[in-house]
Amino acid sequence: MALDQDADVGVLVAEALGAVGDGSAGESGALAGLAVTTRVFTADPPFFDNGDIGRLAVCGAVNDLAATGAEPRQLALGIVLEAGLPLRLLHRLTDSLRDAAREAGVAVAAVDARVVRAGEADRVLVTATALGTRRYPALRPAALRPGDRILVTAPLGDHAAHLMSLRGALGYERLVPTDCAPLAGILAGLVPRLRYARPVTAGGLAAVLRTCAAASGLALRVDEPALPVREETRAVLAALGLDPLDAACAGVLCLFVPPDAAGGVLQTLRAHAYGGDSVAVGEVLADGPGTVQLAGPDGVSRPLLPPADPPAARLR
């Protein structure tokens, strides 16, 4: 048996090392109160119309940490570059890293870079480690309760549509820019009102929902007509044979909120530049533990199953 391109190797390695998996923030012992998360970022292509792998890495690491309820403070970056990369792209990368860190409100505390032979690193690979402080207990899916509302903070699938169109030279990228954005600011002040939060990344909202259902032992129901998807994005994804629920995002959060707090949280989200399209899409149920149900326009529910063909990897 060997690893395939879509294997969730981060979880496998973390479990073998006894660490918190999937890039999630952890804390322990003398470092209690310090939160940290780390991820390796790849993208194909690494440079795109309104962003690049540098912005993707900064935003991804910051968003992962902020979604646990911590306040991101600093970043450490490891960069692998292929020999032959044009210097203009290196300058673009460093400018992007600097600007994204500034927008996210974090300082770049440490950087290392290495050059490898051409063809060995997808042109650019970035490892981003975010460090921060914790004012509240870490948000965990075990906190979910029946009746909690499921919120989504932005339209789904824009990032996947943009990158896959560029990859295939389809020309749709002019219609749909990537949604890559730092989201710590949108969570500031909301943490005490949330049960759980998780960025929507590779695997799309469907992967987040299945993970949360399994981890909480509760059932989730999502109303398909409520899902926010731009018409342009829907058309692009349909042409590519990809369901918006399975499409990668880079600037979307999935939030679980007590029912009496959902209205106020939505109001706060919609006042933020990256949360104007926030919407409630479903709720947590008591029956059917560990399952996700998708309610169609006709009101009939069906199980939300993994796609028969996994979405293309290396979007993020």
Side-chain angles (χ1 to χ4, degrees), residues 46-152:
F47 298 92
F48 35 95
D49 282 11
N50 64 318
D52 53 47
I53 192 172
R55 180 173 177 82
L56 197 63
V58 171
C59 294
V62 167
N63 295 349
D64 285 344
L65 191 65
T68 71
E71 182 180 356
R73 298 279 191 170
Q74 295 182 319
L75 279 175
L77 301 171
I79 305 169
V80 179
L81 307 160
E82 284 190 1
L85 185 78
L87 283 179
R88 62 178 176 80
L89 291 181
L90 176 59
H91 294 317
R92 174 177 169 176
L93 176 66
T94 55
D95 288 347
S96 179
L97 289 164
R98 182 196 61 235
D99 294 345
R102 184 177 297 150
E103 183 183 358
V106 294
V108 178
V111 180
D112 189 24
R114 291 288 184 271
V115 177
V116 298
R117 289 175 293 189
E120 292 185 348
D122 279 342
R123 301 180 78 191
V124 183
L125 302 177
V126 179
T127 297
T129 300
L131 301 98
T133 55
R134 189 175 298 290
R135 296 172 55 197
Y136 307 101
L139 298 175
R140 306 287 188 193
L144 270 57
R145 297 291 181 269
D148 287 348
R149 301 300 189 257
I150 305 170
L151 312 184
V152 172

Side-chain angles (χ1 to χ4, degrees), residues 156 200 203-212 244-247 292 304-307:
L156 303 173
V200 181
L205 180 62
V208 171
L209 296 173
R210 285 191 291 268
T211 298
C212 291
L245 272 168
D246 297 315
V292 181
L304 181 61
L305 302 174

Side-chain angles (χ1 to χ4, degrees), residues 230-256:
R230 303 184 204 276
E231 288 305 316
E232 299 88 344
T233 300
R234 190 182 298 277
V236 171
L237 295 177
L240 296 167
L242 185 60
D243 190 304
L245 272 168
D246 297 315
C249 305
V252 181
L253 293 167
C254 179
L255 308 179
F256 295 82

Side-chain angles (χ1 to χ4, degrees), residues 31-48:
L31 296 180
L34 171 68
V36 59
T37 184
T38 190
R39 281 195 184 275
V40 178
F41 291 84
T42 66
D44 179 15
F47 298 92
F48 35 95

Side-chain angles (χ1 to χ4, degrees), residues 149-167:
R149 301 300 189 257
I150 305 170
L151 312 184
V152 172
T153 62
L156 303 173
D158 290 356
H159 186 61
H162 185 82
L163 262 67
M164 292 183 75
S165 178
L166 275 173
R167 185 186 300 178

